Amino acid sequence: MAGEEQLRDGGLHRRRVVVLFSLPFHGHLNPTLKLAALLRARGLAVTVLHTDFNAPDPARHPGLAFVPIHETPLQDTAVSPDSDILAKLLALNAAIAAPFRQALASLQDAVACAVVDGQCYAAMDAAGELGVPVLALRTDSAAALRNMLAIPRLRDAGYLPFKEEQLDEPAPGLEPLRVRDLIRVDGCDTDELCGFVTSVADAVRASVSGIVFNTFEAIEAPELAKIQRELSLPAFAVGPLHLLSQTPPPAEQSLHAPDRGCLAWLDARTPRSVLYVSLGSLACVNRAAFEEMAWGLAGSGVPFLWVVRPGMVTGGAAGEEAPPPLPDGLEEKMRGRGKIVTWAPQREVLAHDAIGAFWTHCGWNSILESICEGVPMLVQPCFADQMVNARYVTHEWGVGMEVGEVIERERVAKAVTKLMVGEDGARMRERARRLQVQASAATSLALDSLVQYILSL
């Protein structure tokens, strides 16, 4: 296979191969593959271990070697759109533990280090057991990791499980977060969540030699410094990876085929007039919330481009390939102002002059892409780190506003109008432009430091 051939190449220096491994989610795969390309460009041989489920396409990534780990058959909870993210993460960790260890062991003699998805405690533990130096790649924010590390303390202090009367209290030691902004997965068991977080934290403390973040100092310097002090580990802020890698958007890994026709539709719109709406590749809403989103968008009077992907609405048939049906009468109400696609080329959409704001689930990749294009945000976090990210967008960086915890059509229409044409929206747009300048100024110095650190392991 390709990975083994690369490792046998006599021109490669012994123990200069870096192995990368990502969980098979869109928001994890893309930053991992961008980092892989950047490390290769700096002279390191790179092998990407990957699951059979949502496997990357090697043809899109010339120069990288790919080796499947052939994980055990996945439970339905790992792949069903109706299972929550915590269930998916637990099922995936259980499925990959043994095959990842076996695959890494087969390459071990030539491996300088393994860069492992920071949510995959099973892979971090396996690499540590083999004596392979491990770096944890966090595809979420530094603020989100700080929140994860604080969960046992917050539970002991009585903040978990969540209590209604405490939701608006400040989260101690995690300002600007309130208790309602802490990482959570609605409907999941608190013991299960704490168990997962403890497994991640234990793996980091036992096996990891450093932490790599897809972030940049200008927005998260305090959080990075606190993590380094708490864990006594080096932290490398190597982002925004999509800017540093300069990977053309069409070449990126995508679990859905983008509808590029939406770019021509945007070409016909005036500058900053369109609201882009996407809840990412995993977040879901119930049918009632979906219909309120639809009628609120239609009633706002604002042109919009809305990603409505298969599986986005809970309760559909497993493996359903069609997007959920729109409410009766919606298309007539839109009167040509709205365009709906099953998936969009997001980076190109956000870079388009017609885009005035982004209604987002607050996945970390989406936030970085929005910041890098100077686009303000309307936030609707759905689970886990998205709660943390939304609070930073609105109250730390001041580049967005909340839709509201209850999705209701009049409230939606009011929030959309306020962000798109109101004075508050104009101020947020100006702050977003300032962050865009800072993101564009991010250098590869942290990446160079990471390469030197890898070579020292």
Side-chain angles (χ1 to χ4, degrees):
M1 62 182 66
E4 293 172 349
E5 290 171 3
Q6 184 180 28
L7 292 173
R8 295 191 195 104
D9 187 339
L12 293 178
H13 191 279
R14 178 176 171 80
R15 296 191 64 82
R16 288 194 61 197
V17 174
V18 180
V19 168
L20 287 92
F21 178 73
S22 169
L23 288 175
F25 302 133
H26 182 93
H28 293 238
L29 282 166
N30 270 324
T32 299
L33 293 169
K34 289 180 177 65
L35 179 61
L38 287 164
L39 293 176
R40 181 183 179 276
R42 280 156 178 76
L44 295 171
V46 175
T47 293
V48 177
L49 297 184
H50 62 85
T51 59
D52 291 325
F53 174 63
N54 286 341
D57 179 3
R60 293 176 177 265
H61 310 281
L64 301 179
F66 289 84
V67 176
I69 67 168
H70 300 309
E71 71 276 14
T72 55
L74 294 176
Q75 303 172 12
D76 289 344
T77 50
V79 298
S80 170
D82 286 338
S83 62
D84 64 56
I85 188 62
L86 181 59
K88 293 179 192 295
L89 289 169
L90 291 170
L92 284 165
N93 271 279
I96 66 92
F100 173 84
R101 192 183 195 283
Q102 183 178 3
L104 184 61
S106 71
L107 310 176
Q108 185 175 357
D109 288 345
V111 175
C113 77
V115 181
V116 172
D117 195 302
Q119 304 280 27
C120 196
Y121 56 83
M124 289 188 278
D125 284 339
E129 291 165 5
L130 291 170
V132 175
V134 187
L135 299 174
L137 173 59
R138 299 297 310 193
T139 57
D140 51 7
S141 64
L145 178 57
R146 281 199 66 227
N147 185 172
M148 284 189 71
L149 295 172
I151 281 180
R153 169 175 62 81
L154 294 169
R155 185 184 190 186
D156 292 344
Y159 290 98
L160 293 171
F162 294 106
K163 302 175 181 66
E164 187 70 29
E165 64 272 16
Q166 292 179 316
L167 290 178
D168 289 317
E169 292 182 16
L174 293 172
E175 296 76 8
L177 301 183
R178 304 160 298 178
V179 172
R180 70 169 64 249
D181 305 313
L182 298 174
I183 286 174
R184 70 176 190 266
V185 181
D186 291 339
C188 81
D189 181 77
T190 299
D191 290 339
E192 273 197 340
L193 176 62
C194 290
F196 170 75
V197 169
T198 299
S199 295
V200 170
D202 288 350
V204 168
R205 292 187 170 100
S207 303
V208 166
S209 300
I211 307 179
V212 184
F213 290 94
N214 183 20
T215 190
F216 58 106
E217 290 276 350
I219 58 171
E220 290 208 284
E223 287 72 24
L224 290 161
K226 289 170 184 174
I227 287 170
Q228 289 185 92
R229 287 197 298 270
E230 180 172 350
L231 296 178
S232 299
L233 289 172
F236 302 91
V238 299
L241 284 169
H242 75 279
L243 288 188
L244 295 175
S245 70
Q246 297 183 340
T247 304
E252 290 186 343
Q253 187 74 23
S254 179
L255 304 182
H256 307 283
D259 181 346
R260 301 186 62 80
C262 66
L263 298 174
W265 183 84
L266 289 173
D267 289 341
R269 305 288 154 178
T270 57
R272 296 184 299 279
S273 66
V274 177
L275 175 70
Y276 172 54
V277 186
S278 175
L279 300 184
S281 59
L282 285 176
C284 300
V285 295
N286 61 37
R287 182 71 199 182
F290 175 73
E291 294 198 357
E292 292 300 304
M293 288 177 69
W295 288 117
L297 285 167
S300 70
V302 170
F304 61 89
L305 170 62
W306 188 12
V307 173
V308 178
R309 70 172 202 280
M312 174 179 156
V313 174
T314 56
E320 192 172 37
E321 295 183 359
L326 299 174
D328 291 339
L330 180 70
E331 293 189 27
E332 181 181 352
K333 177 73 172 177
M334 293 187 324
R335 294 188 180 92
R337 286 183 294 100
K339 183 170 180 61
I340 296 175
V341 297
T342 56
W343 196 247
Q346 181 162 291
R347 281 177 56 192
E348 292 168 275
V349 167
L350 289 171
H352 199 286
D353 288 342
I355 296 299
F358 179 16
W359 180 345
T360 174
H361 66 308
C362 290
W364 186 237
N365 289 307
S366 289
I367 287 177
L368 281 180
E369 289 167 2
S370 198
I371 284 174
C372 289
E373 298 300 339
V375 175
M377 288 165 265
L378 194 61
V379 303
Q380 184 190 346
C382 297
F383 56 75
D385 65 304
Q386 296 164 15
M387 313 298 182
V388 177
N389 298 339
R391 185 66 172 176
Y392 271 73
V393 166
T394 57
H395 285 75
E396 184 71 9
W397 306 319
V399 294
M401 65 176 63
E402 299 171 350
V403 179
E405 287 216 351
V406 177
I407 305 300
E408 188 272 329
R409 65 189 69 184
E410 283 81 12
R411 183 180 296 180
V412 165
K414 183 177 179 180
V416 168
T417 304
K418 187 177 181 180
L419 181 59
M420 291 294 292
V421 300
E423 292 183 4
D424 289 346
R427 286 191 290 270
M428 291 174 190
R429 188 168 292 107
E430 181 55 38
R431 285 193 286 268
R433 288 194 187 107
R434 290 199 292 270
L435 284 185
Q436 179 186 21
V437 171
Q438 292 176 314
S440 299
T443 70
S444 60
L445 289 177
L447 188 66
D448 294 337
S449 297
L450 173 61
V451 170
Q452 291 305 312
Y453 187 66
I454 289 172
L455 293 175
S456 74
L457 295 172

